[in-house]
Amino acid sequence: MEILTNTVGRKVLMAVTGLFMLFFVIVHLLGNSTIFVGPSALNTYAEKLHSLGPLVWAFRAFMLAMLGVHVLFGVLLTLENWAANPGKYAVNRKLKANFSSETMIWTGALLFAFLVYHLLQFTLRVTPDIIPEAVAKRPGDVYAMVVGSFRHTAISLIYVGAMVVLFLHLKHGIQSFFQSLGWSNDRTLPRFETIGNVLSALFLLGYSAIPILILVGFLTR
Amino acid sequence: MSGQNEHKTMTLKLIVWRQNGKNGPGRFETYTAREITEHHSFLEMLDVVNEDLIKEGKEPIIFDHDCREGICGVCSQVINGVPHGGQERTTVCQLHMRKFKDGDTIYIEPWRARAFPILKDLMVDRSALDTIIQAGGYTSAHTGGAPDANAIPIPKPDAEYSMDAAECIGCGACVAACPNGAAMLFTGAKVAQLAVLPQGKVEAKERARAMIKAMQECGFGNCTNHYECQAACPKGIHVKFIARLNREYIRALIG
Ligand code: HEM
Ligand code: SF4
Ligand code: FES
């Protein structure tokens, strides 16, 4: 398949898989925001999700595939680029590239690590902060579990840190998506950049609000 | 004769990449450029330095140049970390010494990318760009009498768009500036200038495919949309032409 080896084809695959993950980031934030409505809202939402059964698993498998393709080509792309630009300049002045655009592979790797941790914590529920007896007693009480974990300063900080990383990845990634698919031009590119900045900042604020508010004592029962 | 401005000269410290041949190890050498006026172009300043080197029996600094009026695209130097020196829409040959101050230190380096091997000092081999053109940067036409200029009507916006892309002089600054050593701005411009015209549309799909393939085979990197190329381009080629290249490729893929 040509698309798998063609440089533009690979970028298209990265863009499409990135878009699906971006959709997930949006939907996940909306779902999580039910925590602001109250314990029963979040728990009802979680229960509804789990009641979907096989659909949930199909969705998880799909997201995993998206992540797999995105990571595979992200790594290949980066390795090839390092090889294509071996000699660094003694003086290196950047005119347009920035921290966010130059660290995509590293913010990506950190996101991957965070994802593993996050799934171990709240999906598989095996991290030390999760008390097995409490979960066993009331497996549907997602609210209590989340609040219990975010009471730990270190855990909340990890989550806020991860959201800063997500912000950096998407600040470059969202506008990059439009460019990779060939949708931008001189008029729209600045707008896509603005959309990327606004969306990624919204994710940062929205997601970070949950651990921060729990940590400072709001959002407790 | 008195202290007129034109008689004011500058002395500059140059730190220049010297490399004997393709594989020779390179190194930075320090030179002093004396008696430089603000009217000297950057290349003329190097000419002065080279005159001095020759008088001292040393090898002059090798650099590419031809037209010296910003159209041939041959001059190629990274000056203080920016290809062509960072003055907007200006090639090295059109850069003037009035942009510098007496006592300045100037780093001069060759284009650096795997696809552009250094031949000597500041001169690199940019034939990879020709290889990309040979792969599809043309339209096939039967020979014969020149067609009437107005035989095929072309909408004004399309003509403008094509001309904007055609401003590319093939200098390779986009590659030199790219953190990935990619040639997408060059290739994008060359694909776009033809893709928008009726004569070019005929072979648009094969062209996009073939030129991208050639680009990869030459060892250029992949675009990650830093847009550093546009910022460095002496002709202000816009990254919308990279988006166009992507679009052309997607169109070719889906038939
Ligand atoms: C929450 C998960 C993630 C989301 C929402 C996401 C989103 C995106 C988006 C939208 C792009 C732009 C694609 C394009 O250029 O068209 C992108 C690029 C990229 N991502 Fe991710 N990504 C995620 C996770 C990862 C991970 C785990 C890696 C790990 C290796 C990674 C590595 C990269 C790289 C290297 C690029 C290329 C940069 C570029 O071409 O501009 N991403 N990502
Ligand atoms: S796009 Fe600009 S920088 Fe690149 S080769 Fe053409 S003129 Fe030079
Ligand atoms: S020497 Fe021709 S463009 Fe500079």
Side-chain angles (χ1 to χ4, degrees):
Chain A
M1 284 250 287
E2 185 193 322
I3 191 171
L4 298 179
T5 52
N6 184 288
T7 173
V8 178
R10 286 176 167 188
K11 285 306 304 269
V12 168
L13 290 174
M14 287 217 66
V16 172
T17 52
L19 178 70
F20 278 110
M21 291 196 284
L22 183 66
F23 279 150
F24 177 78
V25 167
I26 295 172
V27 173
H28 194 47
L29 177 60
L30 292 178
N32 291 356
S33 297
T34 54
I35 199 171
F36 296 117
V37 182
S40 62
L42 180 66
N43 288 344
T44 314
Y45 161 70
E47 207 174 305
K48 279 246 173 67
L49 266 188
H50 286 134
S51 70
L52 295 176
L55 227 81
V56 175
W57 279 105
F59 178 75
R60 283 174 177 164
F62 176 74
M63 288 314 299
L64 198 66
M66 292 299 105
L67 180 70
V69 171
H70 190 82
V71 170
L72 173 68
F73 288 118
V75 170
L76 283 178
L77 197 80
T78 307
L79 291 178
E80 284 180 7
N81 287 348
W82 286 345
N85 185 13
K88 293 270 177 278
Y89 295 107
V91 182
N92 212 334
R93 188 154 74 86
K94 286 279 169 282
L95 302 170
K96 183 75 169 72
N98 53 64
F99 185 74
S100 150
S101 76
E102 288 180 315
T103 52
M104 288 300 276
I105 190 63
W106 305 119
T107 51
L110 285 172
L111 281 178
F112 185 82
F114 169 73
L115 217 64
V116 172
Y117 170 66
H118 181 53
L119 292 177
L120 287 178
Q121 190 166 38
F122 290 145
T123 306
L124 300 176
R125 304 178 174 182
V126 294
T127 48
D129 55 300
I130 306 286
I131 302 150
E133 299 87 63
V135 172
K137 223 185 284 168
R138 286 181 314 188
D141 199 350
V142 173
Y143 185 90
M145 178 180 71
V146 169
V147 170
S149 295
F150 285 160
R151 279 287 179 74
H152 302 283
T153 310
I155 293 177
S156 280
L157 284 183
I158 290 176
Y159 273 76
V160 175
M163 291 309 107
V164 173
V165 172
L166 181 69
F167 166 78
L168 288 172
H169 198 78
L170 293 184
K171 185 174 146 42
H172 177 72
I174 291 172
Q175 62 76 32
S176 175
F177 161 82
F178 289 103
Q179 173 79 356
S180 293
L181 290 187
W183 294 345
S184 47
N185 58 36
D186 40 0
R187 202 167 33 81
T188 54
L189 185 61
R191 288 183 210 168
F192 292 143
E193 287 180 321
T194 308
I195 291 173
N197 291 344
V198 170
L199 270 183
S200 46
L202 280 179
F203 297 145
L204 173 59
L205 292 178
Y207 277 111
S208 301
I210 299 169
I212 290 177
L213 288 181
I214 290 173
L215 198 61
V216 298
F218 291 98
L219 288 186
T220 42
R221 230 180 261 273
Chain B
M1 288 288 125
S2 57
Q4 295 287 324
N5 264 349
E6 334 178 14
H7 291 274
K8 248 196 213 158
T9 61
M10 297 183 254
T11 304
L12 302 144
K13 184 173 159 193
L14 307 184
I15 300 177
V16 184
W17 184 259
R18 302 299 306 260
Q19 183 169 327
N20 271 338
K22 256 192 173 177
N23 303 313
R27 73 217 170 269
F28 281 103
E29 294 276 351
T30 305
Y31 302 97
T32 308
R34 292 189 183 83
E35 308 269 314
I36 305 300
T37 76
E38 57 174 22
H39 303 297
H40 279 103
S41 76
F42 199 84
L43 298 188
E44 284 162 353
M45 180 273 292
L46 285 179
D47 292 338
V48 171
V49 173
N50 275 347
E51 294 282 342
D52 288 346
L53 285 177
I54 291 166
K55 271 184 222 150
E56 292 168 28
K58 293 185 184 148
E59 268 220 52
I61 301 161
I62 301 299
F63 59 89
D64 253 333
H65 63 107
D66 188 9
C67 72
R68 297 208 176 191
E69 53 185 10
I71 54 173
C72 75
V74 161
C75 55
S76 46
Q77 295 169 27
V78 174
I79 299 165
N80 288 335
V82 181
H84 291 301
Q87 185 182 321
E88 222 176 292
R89 297 199 182 216
T90 308
T91 51
V92 179
C93 58
Q94 293 288 289
L95 186 65
H96 278 76
M97 295 314 293
R98 49 183 161 271
K99 291 287 157 192
F100 297 87
K101 291 190 314 290
D102 185 36
D104 274 359
T105 297
I106 308 175
Y107 274 83
I108 311 175
E109 302 176 65
W111 281 182
R112 288 197 193 277
R114 178 179 53 185
F116 289 165
I118 294 174
L119 296 174
K120 197 168 166 58
D121 299 345
L122 303 173
M123 182 188 256
V124 303
D125 177 0
R126 281 170 297 177
S127 56
L129 296 184
D130 301 331
T131 308
I132 296 174
I133 294 292
Q134 283 156 8
Y138 50 79
T139 59
S140 306
H142 293 292
T143 52
D148 177 41
N150 295 321
I152 305 170
I154 293 163
K156 178 87 169 140
D158 291 355
E160 293 280 349
Y161 180 93
S162 179
M163 289 305 288
D164 284 350
E167 270 198 71
C168 168
I169 53 176
C171 64
C174 42
V175 179
C178 179
N180 309 325
M184 289 285 277
L185 192 62
F186 169 82
T187 311
K190 298 305 176 194
V191 162
Q193 70 180 11
L194 297 174
V196 74
L197 299 178
Q199 297 92 327
K201 284 208 168 93
V202 186
E203 294 160 297
K205 286 177 184 165
E206 304 90 89
R207 177 180 307 114
R209 276 200 150 107
M211 290 179 75
I212 292 171
K213 188 158 169 279
M215 184 177 77
Q216 277 180 271
E217 284 167 0
C218 287
F220 292 104
N222 310 290
C223 180
T224 55
N225 304 328
H226 290 287
Y227 312 140
E228 197 61 25
C229 49
Q230 176 185 325
C233 174
K235 297 295 158 183
I237 303 293
H238 198 281
V239 291
K240 71 180 175 189
F241 296 120
I242 298 181
R244 177 70 184 233
L245 174 65
N246 295 345
R247 210 152 66 229
E248 291 293 329
Y249 175 73
I250 293 168
R251 220 174 266 164
L253 256 194
I254 54 188

